[in-house]
Amino acid sequence: MTPVYDVVVVGKANIDYVARGPRLPAPGEGLTGDAFQEAAGGKGANQAVGAARLGARVAIVGRVGGDARGDAVVRALQSERVDVRHLSRDRETPTGVALCQVDELGRKQILSSMGANARLSAACVRDAAEVFRGARVVLTQLGIPRDACLEAIRLGRSGGARIVLDPAPGLPLEDELLAQIDVVRPNVLEAQALTGVRIRDRQTAREAAQQLLRRGVKAAVVQAANLGDVLLWRDGEVWLPRFELTPIDATGAGDAFSSALAVCLAEGKPLPEAGRFASAAAALATTVLGAQSSLPRRAAVLQLLATS
Ligand code: RIB
């Protein structure tokens, strides 16, 4: 019998090549860096690992190639006890890759190649229908083909799960889709793509969140760059705390946030508590180079919350 999952993640799985240098290169420029890492990544795989490290029972639905990079992605997920039965293998297309560049302030830029992620179809998601039954939260993103994302939302809703959308990469979305989302968590650029509001400060972040609620989402967490995140839902609003830690690499911080939020929702925690926990997880994820390597365990998050 298939177990009931706290979190089912439907999303991308990659191998990340991370290089750190003094600054991000300008177009046409070559720079010498001082650190390199090759590791499993991709928003979906990161979020699955993030949720598992926080103690959730997690299944992932995604697609990798039949290559050695795909093997490495599978091993990384299995080592965190993520159910990978529905991480399908594509014998014709290589595993997706991401080239991540990080500067000495921890800022990042990423160029990815979709590879097998582009062949995650709605049928692949339907094949995984068993893991959606009884699932508490379905966490998905826009980085996979749209039909696969829609099917994940449909199956999640029909099984009674709450739907968390990490709307990366930023794209405009129609209201019918937004109305099916329980919590959406855009960063600054994604919020701008979704709403058209140019986020410059707390007020404009709030305006973007208000627009998302008017268009049907039940709750929105919108980043106001370095000014924190506003969490808005139908009955309230809070600004989530910022945890002042020295950043090494922002890669994976958004994934830490989304997965922590999903875990708390699966546990039935109220939104403000879930948001605070997710903020702490994201802050910790900025203190380590790389994405999956930086995702914190529950004890570290609780310790940061207790000491801040
Ligand atoms: O969110 C971080 C992830 O984005 C990286 O692991 C990389 O694979 C890109 O998809």
Side-chain angles (χ1 to χ4, degrees):
M1 208 176 80
T2 303
V4 170
Y5 292 97
D6 300 307
V7 181
V8 173
V9 180
V10 183
K12 274 170 91 171
N14 288 335
I15 289 291
D16 290 353
Y17 298 95
V18 185
R20 187 182 62 194
R23 57 189 166 76
L24 300 174
E29 185 182 27
L31 276 179
T32 302
D34 62 359
F36 172 73
Q37 186 189 86
E38 175 179 346
K43 280 192 183 306
N46 295 345
Q47 290 169 7
V49 167
R53 284 194 188 152
L54 296 171
R57 294 162 298 178
V58 184
I60 186 167
V61 181
R63 197 156 176 91
V64 292
D67 47 14
R69 287 198 290 263
D71 295 343
V73 168
V74 171
R75 275 198 306 275
L77 288 159
Q78 283 176 326
S79 72
E80 302 289 346
R81 299 178 180 276
V82 174
D83 181 340
V84 293
R85 283 175 302 139
H86 297 286
L87 186 70
S88 55
R89 308 294 297 262
D90 191 311
R91 304 288 154 194
E92 291 157 29
T93 316
T95 297
V97 294
L99 309 178
C100 311
Q101 300 175 331
V102 184
D103 74 7
E104 64 184 10
L105 297 176
R107 294 174 302 193
K108 53 143 199 222
Q109 59 191 26
I110 301 177
L111 180 63
S112 355
S113 167
M114 286 285 281
N117 292 299
R119 300 193 9 139
L120 179 70
S121 62
C124 297
V125 180
R126 266 194 302 280
D127 285 347
E130 58 172 340
V131 298
F132 291 85
R133 277 183 215 119
R136 300 205 159 92
V137 172
V138 169
L139 172 56
T140 189
Q141 318 126 28
L142 304 177
I144 50 173
R146 187 184 165 81
D147 287 351
C149 177
L150 293 178
E151 190 62 14
I153 293 170
R154 190 188 69 77
L155 282 170
R157 283 176 64 86
S158 64
R162 291 168 93 178
I163 311 294
V164 178
L165 177 69
D166 179 341
L171 297 170
L173 290 179
E174 61 277 21
D175 295 1
E176 294 71 34
L177 198 160
L178 288 174
Q180 300 180 54
I181 306 301
D182 289 284
V183 188
V184 65
R185 203 280 173 163
N187 67 19
V188 170
L189 293 174
E190 292 152 5
Q192 287 175 191
L194 278 174
T195 64
V197 176
R198 203 173 134 249
I199 298 182
R200 299 180 303 274
D201 50 24
R202 284 183 155 211
Q203 182 50 32
T204 43
R206 195 161 172 269
E207 276 168 34
Q210 285 171 328
Q211 188 200 113
L212 289 166
L213 258 67
R214 277 199 304 276
R215 292 171 59 195
V217 302
K218 295 193 184 60
V221 188
V222 177
Q223 262 188 351
N226 298 330
L227 302 170
D229 301 68
V230 62
L231 164 59
L232 190 71
W233 69 104
R234 282 179 191 159
D235 303 319
E237 170 186 330
V238 288
W239 280 88
L240 300 180
R242 295 192 65 222
F243 297 88
E244 301 294 343
L245 303 177
T246 306
I248 301 287
D249 177 9
T251 315
D255 300 331
F257 190 103
S258 300
S259 53
L261 192 74
V263 170
C264 289
L265 295 180
E267 290 168 351
K269 301 237 164 74
L271 270 173
E273 188 182 336
R276 187 171 141 77
F277 187 86
S279 270
L284 286 166
T286 66
T287 62
V288 178
L289 185 70
Q292 269 179 39
S293 50
S294 72
L295 300 167
R297 297 197 181 272
R298 182 176 287 253
V301 180
L302 293 177
Q303 191 184 5
L304 178 60
L305 288 168
T307 53
S308 299

